[in-house]
Amino acid sequence: EILFNFLDSKPDIVDAPDARELNAKSMSVGFKDVSFAYNPNEPVLKNINLQVPAGKVCALVGPSGGGKTTLFNLLERFYEPQIGKITINKTDIKKYTLKSLRENIAEVSQAVFLFNGTIEDNIKYGRPDASHEEVVAAARAANADGFINEFPKGYETSVGEGGGLLSGGQKQRIAIARAILKDAPILLLDEATSALDTQSEKLIQAALNDLMQGRTTFVIAHRLSTILDADIICVIKDGQIVEMGTDAELCKLNGEYKRLRDIQFKTKSKSK
């Protein structure tokens, strides 16, 4: 009975009556005075103002729980801000159809979810009409083709429930191949190399750098070494953007970003 009630329930977020298709080769993204709370009187984001031009890379850094992943959820319209608006190409995303909005966004998250099917089906999830050759090309670009071909059934190998038959690094590379194949103008990377060893991380980072070219990219990163070249770096703390700029600009401020940077790079030099 509970299950049927759930299936019969209507989603809170639906298309506006006059919603139109989102269809553009390049996309700028804006957050204007955005505030959001999952629970009343417990704001997760407060007055976020951010403009990311088409094709630029925006890195989101800062302590866990600051609201970085929530920005991704709002951009994909899994939730809606209580205050402010989010725009793509200066148009409120509420004016686009949900289907077309999400078709134009590819995401690689820290917690990869794979369906209980073949490796090929999982890579094709974002683009079911892709050919086998396109799947293989995406897997090669994600440094996944090698381990896939080590399985007796290759691309027809079952990944198990939730991808349980693969290692964390293998699942991450499948997810990156999926994003490469989808070829969307907006790319969201949430700790995309977190489950990889150092050697694989370097290879994947090179693949991601190629993928990011010409796309509007948001990167959540705790390892600052992966985002030093970002066009915009936002330091998010307690739901607010406390600093914004390039790596060089933020270092000159000698504030929160510089503190995080010093901690990480001092730790690295000591470990060497």
Side-chain angles (χ1 to χ4, degrees):
E1 197 172 317
I2 293 169
L3 176 61
F4 283 122
N5 284 336
F6 175 73
L7 292 173
D8 290 338
S9 64
K10 292 182 180 179
D12 295 328
I13 299 173
V14 294
D15 287 341
D18 58 346
R20 65 179 192 265
E21 298 284 308
L22 172 58
N23 187 15
K25 288 187 178 178
S26 60
M27 300 182 185
S28 62
V29 176
F31 292 81
K32 183 171 175 57
D33 301 323
V34 169
S35 294
F36 174 77
Y38 292 102
N39 300 310
N41 303 317
E42 294 179 24
V44 177
L45 295 172
K46 308 165 200 167
N47 198 35
I48 298 293
N49 283 285
L50 173 62
Q51 296 294 325
V52 182
K56 298 297 183 182
V57 177
C58 176
L60 308 174
V61 304
S64 297
K68 300 183 294 294
T69 301
T70 298
L71 285 171
F72 284 12
N73 290 336
L74 293 175
L75 179 56
E76 295 177 275
R77 281 196 78 197
F78 296 133
Y79 300 92
E80 290 189 333
Q82 284 89 11
I83 300 171
K85 67 177 181 178
I86 301 164
T87 62
I88 292 179
N89 291 346
K90 298 184 178 179
T91 299
D92 193 326
I93 59 173
K94 292 179 183 178
K95 295 186 177 179
Y96 298 122
T97 63
L98 280 167
K99 185 173 184 290
S100 68
L101 171 69
R102 292 170 184 166
E103 280 176 347
N104 282 284
I105 299 173
E107 180 174 1
V108 181
S109 66
Q110 192 173 4
V112 175
F113 184 84
L114 299 182
F115 296 94
N116 188 7
T118 67
I119 289 174
E120 178 152 346
D121 286 343
N122 273 283
I123 294 175
K124 287 169 71 172
Y125 178 67
R127 230 185 91 203
D129 60 341
S131 67
H132 176 70
E133 289 71 24
E134 288 172 318
V135 170
V136 173
R140 282 180 182 153
N143 189 33
D145 183 65
F147 81 77
I148 292 171
N149 283 318
E150 288 176 2
F151 293 117
K153 292 186 178 179
Y155 284 80
E156 292 304 308
T157 302
S158 173
V159 302
E161 191 70 38
L165 300 180
L166 302 179
S167 71
Q170 289 171 335
K171 288 196 285 188
Q172 205 94 21
R173 280 177 275 181
I174 295 294
I176 292 168
R178 181 191 282 170
I180 291 170
L181 185 65
K182 190 173 182 182
D183 196 23
I186 296 174
L187 181 62
L188 308 181
L189 304 175
D190 187 350
E191 288 292 326
T193 58
S194 63
L196 302 174
D197 56 66
T198 305
Q199 184 179 359
S200 294
E201 183 182 17
K202 287 180 180 177
L203 293 167
I204 290 299
Q205 201 61 52
L208 289 174
N209 289 340
D210 290 340
L211 177 61
M212 288 155 66
Q213 295 300 315
R215 287 170 174 55
T216 308
T217 306
F218 289 83
V219 185
I220 294 175
H222 289 296
R223 296 181 203 176
L224 300 185
S225 58
T226 62
I227 53 91
L228 296 178
D229 295 329
D231 300 293
I232 305 167
I233 299 173
C234 295
V235 182
I236 299 180
K237 188 176 181 181
D238 297 328
Q240 295 177 296
I241 297 177
V242 294
E243 292 174 3
M244 188 190 306
T246 62
D247 175 70
E249 290 167 348
L250 293 178
C251 284
K252 285 180 185 176
L253 288 178
N254 204 25
E256 184 73 17
Y257 176 79
K258 181 69 162 53
R259 187 183 68 80
L260 292 171
R261 199 180 191 280
D262 287 348
I263 290 170
Q264 288 200 15
F265 288 104
K266 280 177 185 173
T267 304
K268 277 189 176 181
S269 60
K270 281 180 183 177
S271 64
K272 287 176 185 176

